[in-house]
Amino acid sequence: MAYSHRTVLLEPAIDALLSPAFGRRSAVPAVNAPPLDGVYVDGTFGRGGHSRLLLSRLAPQARLLVFDKDPVAIAEAQALRAADGRVEVVHDGFASLDTQLDRLGITLVDGVLLDLGVSSPQIDEAERGFSFMRDGPLDMRMDTSRGQTAAQWLAEADQEQIKEVIADYGEERFAFQIAKAIVARRQSGPLRTTGELAQLVAGTVRTREKGQHPATRTFQAIRIHINEELAQLARALPTALTRLRAGGRMAVISFHSLEDRMVKQCFAAAAHPGRDRARLPIPERDMPQPYVTLLGRVQADETEVADNVRARSAVLRVAERTGVPLSPEEAADFVRLPGRASAQQRRGGRAAR
């Protein structure tokens, strides 16, 4: 069954950036309403659903900086740029936000949106190699113009490396058995297609989670590793927080527990920087003040999930910057990574989303 592309949490995400009342009780108004003529960032353009709705609500003087690694998405973004001069297009991942803002002479922004993970068109195109349901080349790169494919990595990595990736990024309890089967399979020839990998994993995993293909976690893990998704997120979160003006907002849509946990922990640490000192005899006036205000968590409602099953796991988290100064070093301390992603982050990352 083919899916037409539907932007997940479309209205809530844009409300999160622009609505003064979002996440607040009516008796507690926003200190500063988000400006409709400000500078905004869509860090994951995809096919432009969020960007188009955001542009429809912004003033003629506003600017929207859109990022994506996918050449197809960039072509779509360039078409939008030709029709709307408020758009700036960056063919790179959101981890390059700091560099790109400097290049454009932008110091602070008014809102940042990240819609994490793989997009529906990427899943539905067999030749991209993301789906175990559609046989195609074992690629999995967000940016097909650079980097190592999944097939190349699986042909070169040792059993321990493969096991760690599947365990850390897929939270797969049969990671050892799957890694062993992949290495053994290489004796008869390399894995070249998604169908071959899916079949191998299905024959290795002894039990299945209800309603889930046995290769789901393995494909997720390899995709995250190939694109360094968590390491890139770990670079982008602190950058966005330090680049938001007072009253500016960050909205992040996550689709699996690893990335959602990172976002949740980062926002919580920024909102409660003195939590680890709460029991110490320190006067309240000397305690660190919040760098952000948490504006809540939103999930797709029943109507959206019924219309788009891929929305069922989506979680939108929103934070608003306070006026408390925040250094890049302080912001970086808010991010915690699982095992292998820590090493990728230290290397600076090669691929952003």
Side-chain angles (χ1 to χ4, degrees):
M1 175 182 178
Y3 290 84
S4 60
H5 179 57
R6 303 179 186 90
T7 303
V8 173
L9 293 170
L10 177 58
E11 294 279 351
I14 303 309
D15 285 345
L17 293 180
L18 298 181
S19 171
F22 183 91
R24 300 179 185 276
R25 298 176 182 176
S26 57
V28 187
V31 176
N32 298 303
L36 298 183
D37 60 352
V39 179
Y40 291 84
V41 174
D42 182 348
T44 47
F45 180 79
R47 295 303 179 265
H50 287 119
S51 283
R52 288 184 174 87
L53 182 58
L54 180 56
L55 286 166
S56 74
R57 298 187 184 178
L58 292 178
Q61 315 92 282
R63 296 176 72 182
L64 176 61
L65 182 60
V66 303
F67 289 71
D68 212 293
K69 289 177 59 184
D70 189 335
V72 178
I74 288 300
E76 188 88 17
Q78 293 289 8
L80 180 60
R81 160 73 178 167
D84 193 326
R86 295 175 294 175
V87 178
E88 298 273 358
V89 180
V90 177
H91 184 188
D92 205 348
F94 50 59
S96 67
L97 177 61
D98 209 34
T99 300
Q100 296 298 333
L101 290 177
D102 284 344
R103 178 180 68 83
L104 294 167
I106 299 171
T107 303
L108 298 174
V109 301
D110 298 283
V112 176
L113 172 64
L114 302 180
D115 181 4
L116 304 176
V118 65
S119 69
S120 292
Q122 289 170 330
I123 293 172
D124 292 337
E125 295 169 7
E127 62 271 18
R128 300 301 300 273
F130 288 107
S131 176
F132 45 77
M133 302 299 291
R134 294 170 174 80
D135 195 26
L138 197 52
D139 193 317
M140 295 197 194
R141 291 172 299 168
M142 301 285 191
D143 185 349
T144 54
S145 69
R146 67 187 100 171
Q148 188 178 44
T149 68
Q152 290 169 336
W153 179 71
L154 288 172
E156 299 171 4
D158 63 35
Q159 181 174 311
E160 183 63 20
Q161 289 174 317
I162 297 170
K163 184 205 80 173
E164 287 182 2
V165 164
I166 296 172
D168 287 352
Y169 298 159
E171 299 179 299
E172 170 60 74
R173 57 189 172 129
F174 297 112
F176 171 78
Q177 292 91 332
I178 294 169
K180 184 177 179 181
I182 288 171
V183 172
R185 167 66 168 75
R186 295 197 303 224
Q187 303 306 311
S188 60
L191 288 164
R192 292 190 175 92
T193 72
T194 55
E196 290 174 351
L197 178 59
Q199 185 177 13
L200 182 146
V201 175
T204 304
V205 173
R206 295 193 298 272
T207 61
R208 304 184 183 194
E209 297 176 57
K210 186 176 180 181
Q212 187 177 89
H213 190 285
T216 299
R217 292 177 178 273
T218 297
F219 269 66
Q220 171 187 297
I222 295 172
R223 187 203 83 218
I224 289 172
H225 173 74
I226 291 298
N227 296 286
E228 298 189 352
E229 292 177 38
L230 299 185
Q232 300 303 309
L233 179 60
R235 294 173 65 196
L237 288 171
T239 295
L241 291 179
T242 57
R243 291 288 198 156
L244 282 172
R245 70 164 181 87
R249 295 179 183 173
M250 184 170 189
V252 185
I253 302 172
S254 307
F255 288 85
H256 63 75
S257 60
L258 290 174
E259 59 194 13
D260 181 54
R261 192 178 307 138
M262 284 178 60
V263 176
K264 177 182 178 181
Q265 290 174 347
C266 176
F267 283 1
H272 307 287
R275 180 175 285 173
D276 59 342
R277 309 180 205 176
R279 300 190 179 210
L280 298 177
I282 301 174
E284 185 173 348
R285 67 178 179 275
D286 295 330
M287 292 289 283
Q289 296 303 299
Y291 298 108
V292 303
T293 300
L294 302 180
L295 297 187
R297 170 181 179 270
V298 177
Q299 291 182 280
D301 59 24
E302 292 181 1
T303 301
E304 180 170 1
V305 173
D307 185 55
N308 180 10
V309 68
R310 289 175 180 163
R312 68 179 177 234
S313 61
V315 178
L316 167 66
R317 295 187 186 274
V318 187
E320 180 180 279
R321 273 287 276 131
T322 66
V324 178
L326 175 63
S327 71
E329 294 75 21
E330 289 171 319
D333 284 341
F334 300 151
V335 179
R336 295 291 177 267
L337 279 162
R340 292 189 64 85
S342 297
Q344 290 179 332
Q345 185 189 30
R346 288 193 296 272
R347 292 198 304 272
R350 293 184 301 274
R353 185 206 183 278

